[in-house]
């Protein structure tokens, strides 16, 4: 009986933790060595309004502005 109550309590706790934990923000894809890359984030799935961008140059320097969202495009070009 106690074992069942303990199991039930553990399942309820695990279920509530899974619901309470927030999702991670959208992450940029890693830029390949010897490439320069642009990651652009948009406000919606239609990609009508840019809300942020990440630029990575061939030397590894990074420049960002704006915010990240779940709607992104990624462009990568060899140096």
């Amino acid at each position: 009986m106690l074992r069942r109550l303990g199991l039930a309590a553990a399942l309820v706790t695990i279920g509530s933790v899974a619901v309470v934990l927030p999702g991670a923000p959208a992450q940029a894809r890693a830029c390949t060595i010897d490439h320069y890359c642009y990651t652009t984030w948009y406000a919606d799935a239609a990609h009508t309004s840019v809300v942020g961008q990440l630029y990575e140059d061939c030397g590894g320097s990074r420049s960002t502005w704006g915010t990240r969202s779940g709607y992104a495009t990624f462009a990568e070009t060899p140096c």
Side-chain angles (χ1 to χ4, degrees), residues 29-64:
R29 184 179 147 206
C31 191
T32 306
I33 296 173
D34 292 330
H35 286 71
Y36 65 90
C37 304
Y38 282 98
T39 302
T40 305
W41 290 280
Y42 299 89
D44 54 26
H47 294 180
T48 55
S49 179
V50 175
V51 295
Q53 193 170 51
L54 165 64
Y55 170 73
E56 298 172 88
D57 68 16
C58 295
S61 296
R62 297 167 53 115
S63 174
T64 62

